[in-house]
Amino acid sequence: MIARVGIAVVFALSLVGCGGGASSHAVLPGASQGATTGTNAQFVIKVPPKTGTGTGRGPAYVSPSTQSVSMQVDSGTPIVTNLTPGSPDCNVPAPLSPLICTLPLVVAAGTHTFTFTTYDGLAGAGNVLSTNSAPFTVVANQANVVNLTLAGVPASLLVEPGSGDAQIVGSGSVGFQFTGEVPHTVIVLPQDADGNLILGPGAPTISASVTGASSGSGLSVAPASGNPNAFTLSSTGFGTASLSLVATPAAASAGSALNASVSLDATVYSSVIAGGGGGPYADGTGAAAGFDSPAGVAVDTANNNLYVADTYACSIRQVTTAGVVTTPYGPLPPNTGVCGATNGTGNAVLFDRFYALAYDSANGNLYEIDAGYGCGLRQITASGVVTTLAGGTTCGYADGTGSAAEFSGSTGGIVYDPTDSDLYVDDTNNCAIRQVTLSGVVTTVAGNPPPTASCGTVDATGTAARFYESQGIAYDSVNQSLYVTDRYRVRQVTVPGYVVTTIAGPVPPTSTLGFTDGSGSAASFSYPFGITYDSTDGNLYVVDSRNAAIRQVTPAGVVTTIAGSTPPTPSYGAAGGFGSAAQFEQLYGVAYDAATNALYVTDERNTSIVQVQL
């Protein structure tokens, strides 16, 4: 509220207050002829009508709950006047208009301190809503104006997400959950004792800081541009912290600073984008689409579509990020389970119960390995032509070129290395990592060499290393390493050199299933399947199948559960939500899409494709 003192004619004085965004105006009384010790004066105040939360009011502050005002000149006795429609000198000119009160005051010429205080009770009772003082020298026989801004007294803070951001939920009372690694806006609005917003001139100054941020979260806050009540939350990872808020009144007389603390949780948001409706094998959008047994998933970076290995449907499904599902390769719905090893184009092709898919970003090709019919590694070009690159004659274990090579009937993962333009196959039943050039030359680079599969758990170099039940495989182009999930642990395989080490989970020969977050050997897994590399922040993401959880693994081996079950106890279901509110049944594949900064996960038992927004 801005109050103006004006002097005109013969010692005529006017004090004018405004509120609710209304413009102020001078109200000059008639001259008081012959007065020498004092002058008649008027104080004009406008009290805006209540409008719900008050957010529709303009940027000036007089609380709609104002019931009385105290007017004091210097140390004189305060004059307290009620401000109600029935009070003398008060009226409401029209429906929904402000209450306008014109109050008498006597002021002598000279230097004075004017103090005004508003209350939410009659006769100066109840809570103080605003107050302030200002010195001014009143000079006779000239116009005088003093500007006085009433300082609102903050009693609480209304903290809420910025408008239009669906990836942050909560409030100042319960805290906020939001997707990490992307900025979010929160609005901090001071309120008076009656819950009215204190806006504009006279509003407290708001400051914000982050305290107690968990390691690796990178949680921070900064003022947003153009709005003193807006702040931007940022994080470089996932974790928790407290948002410390301070509202400092615009005047010392308005009381001490108000402090508040709000909990923050930077996490992920999981939502089903396709399938999950329990329907039959079918193309369609969202829940209208049906999968038989979705497993491996790959992202086509050329068009940002997903490709899903629908294992027992023996087909490759295309899924847009909007959840539109089609079947470009293999038998069209509803002809599920029509399997074989027939090359060709589009829907004329037959595959056999494959689990893994890889996308070659340089050439736009897909790759899969059949579980039978010769266990061939098949290439699918961008134009839809399917050919056999390696294997395809006999399922087994042999290095060689083209059809001379052999793979087992269970290959858990396949990945493309853009650095050397090679493929790497996680040959599960042969307990080996196989390199495949794009000309079809197959070489075992880690694990016991052909023709005899020898499984175990040994960290070593090349063919001296042993794998137990490796499933997923990912490639990190920054560190030029492969990462493999191996039943109990996550293992790194350098490229070249093929040095195998365990970065997370029990160190060989210890093999223990579990569900604990931690660093290195302090972490534990239970049948981790798919794994993917996040090219944006350099982390790995693992789907921990029996724990029904998605785990983040840093290159240093620090493991954090970001979605699904909370350690140490797995829980199962089918639900979306932030962090641990999401529920899964049997996770299998995972791929990272840099364009949407999201993971795409297959839940085999729920027959669904889940987007996990980072």
Side-chain angles (χ1 to χ4, degrees):
M1 168 187 153
I2 300 176
R4 293 178 179 172
V5 179
I7 293 184
V9 196
V10 180
F11 300 108
L13 172 67
S14 176
L15 296 170
V16 181
C18 69
S23 60
S24 60
H25 60 281
V27 178
L28 301 179
S32 178
Q33 300 292 334
T36 59
T37 60
T39 180
N40 297 326
Q42 292 175 319
F43 173 75
V44 179
I45 184 170
K46 294 182 180 180
V47 181
K50 291 188 176 182
T51 56
T53 61
T55 54
R57 293 191 290 113
Y61 179 69
V62 170
S63 176
S65 297
T66 301
Q67 293 287 297
S68 59
V69 62
S70 167
M71 304 173 289
Q72 183 180 27
V73 180
D74 301 322
S75 58
T77 301
I79 300 173
V80 179
T81 304
N82 292 336
L83 305 177
T84 66
S87 298
D89 304 314
C90 293
N91 71 91
V92 179
L96 302 181
S97 295
L99 172 71
I100 301 177
C101 299
T102 304
L103 311 175
L105 190 66
V106 176
V107 180
T111 300
H112 302 283
T113 297
F114 297 95
T115 302
F116 300 94
T117 304
T118 63
Y119 304 87
D120 64 1
L122 297 174
N127 299 294
V128 175
L129 300 176
S130 59
T131 185
N132 208 351
S133 300
F136 186 74
T137 300
V138 177
V139 180
N141 301 315
Q142 71 176 44
N144 294 263
V145 175
V146 58
N147 291 318
L148 177 63
T149 300
L150 287 184
V153 178
S156 62
L157 295 176
L158 175 64
V159 190
E160 55 191 16
S163 62
D165 187 349
Q167 294 180 14
I168 178 171
V169 296
S171 65
S173 59
V174 301
F176 291 103
Q177 280 189 307
F178 49 90
T179 51
E181 302 184 353
V182 292
H184 301 279
T185 299
V186 293
I187 307 298
V188 183
L189 300 169
Q191 297 175 299
D192 63 24
D194 295 286
N196 301 294
L197 303 183
I198 308 176
L199 302 174
T205 299
I206 308 297
S207 61
S209 61
V210 166
T211 59
S214 57
S215 177
S217 67
L219 277 160
S220 63
V221 65
S225 176
N227 184 348
N229 298 100
F231 297 86
T232 301
L233 297 174
S234 301
S235 66
T236 57
F238 309 110
T240 59
S242 294
L243 178 65
S244 297
L245 300 169
V246 181
T248 303
S253 59
S256 302
L258 177 67
N259 296 278
S261 181
V262 180
S263 63
L264 302 177
D265 181 9
T267 182
V268 299
Y269 186 80
S270 303
S271 59
V272 173
I273 63 168
Y281 176 56
D283 288 343
T285 300
F291 296 86
D292 189 306
S293 48
V297 59
V299 176
D300 178 348
T301 54
N303 56 28
N304 293 321
N305 289 327
L306 311 174
Y307 289 97
V308 176
D310 203 342
T311 303
Y312 290 100
C314 295
S315 63
I316 295 176
R317 318 292 296 280
Q318 183 188 69
V319 184
T320 71
T321 54
V324 180
V325 180
T326 54
T327 305
Y329 312 112
L332 285 167
N335 299 312
T336 182
V338 181
C339 306
T342 302
N343 288 329
T345 303
N347 300 117
V349 175
L350 295 181
F351 303 101
D352 186 50
R353 296 163 297 148
F354 60 101
Y355 285 92
L357 278 176
Y359 177 73
D360 167 1
S361 56
N363 302 294
N365 299 325
L366 289 169
Y367 298 89
E368 64 84 25
I369 301 182
D370 289 334
Y373 292 94
C375 299
L377 191 161
R378 322 273 291 278
Q379 179 191 70
I380 304 99
T381 67
S383 60
V385 178
V386 179
T387 56
T388 301
L389 179 66
T393 302
T394 302
C395 298
Y397 191 23
D399 288 344
T401 300
S403 60
E406 297 175 359
F407 300 94
S408 75
S410 178
T411 50
I414 183 170
V415 69
Y416 175 70
D417 170 2
T419 304
D420 299 319
S421 299
D422 293 324
L423 299 169
Y424 286 94
V425 175
D426 188 349
D427 196 343
T428 304
N429 282 2
N430 285 324
C431 299
I433 306 301
R434 321 283 296 278
Q435 180 195 61
V436 184
T437 70
L438 296 188
S439 57
V441 179
V442 180
T443 307
T444 300
V445 296
N448 199 63
T452 304
S454 176
C455 304
T457 308
V458 178
D459 284 346
T461 300
T463 55
R466 295 291 181 270
F467 298 90
Y468 187 81
E469 191 179 351
S470 55
Q471 288 287 349
I473 188 168
Y475 179 74
D476 170 1
S477 57
V478 174
N479 296 302
Q480 290 189 297
S481 291
L482 299 168
Y483 293 92
V484 177
T485 56
D486 193 5
R487 195 176 204 180
Y488 308 97
R489 55 187 60 86
V490 176
R491 306 176 76 180
Q492 181 185 41
V493 184
T494 62
V495 180
Y498 307 107
V499 178
V500 180
T501 55
T502 298
I503 67 165
V507 175
T510 302
S511 295
T512 305
L513 298 174
F515 190 19
T516 54
D517 288 342
S519 182
S521 60
S524 59
F525 302 86
S526 184
Y527 291 86
F529 281 3
I531 185 170
T532 191
Y533 173 71
D534 177 349
S535 57
T536 301
D537 65 15
N539 292 317
L540 302 164
Y541 292 94
V542 173
V543 290
D544 197 349
S545 184
R546 289 197 180 177
N547 285 326
I550 299 173
R551 322 282 296 275
Q552 180 195 68
V553 184
T554 71
V558 179
V559 179
T560 306
T561 300
I562 62 168
S565 305
T566 301
T569 305
S571 60
Y572 306 93
F578 283 96
S580 59
Q583 288 188 315
F584 312 107
E585 280 285 348
Q586 185 173 318
L587 299 170
Y588 194 97
V590 59
Y592 173 73
D593 177 21
T596 56
N597 192 39
L599 304 175
Y600 291 92
V601 178
T602 57
D603 190 333
E604 191 172 19
R605 186 166 296 170
N606 284 326
T607 62
S608 61
I609 312 301
V610 180
Q611 181 193 63
V612 182
Q613 187 66 58
L614 302 177

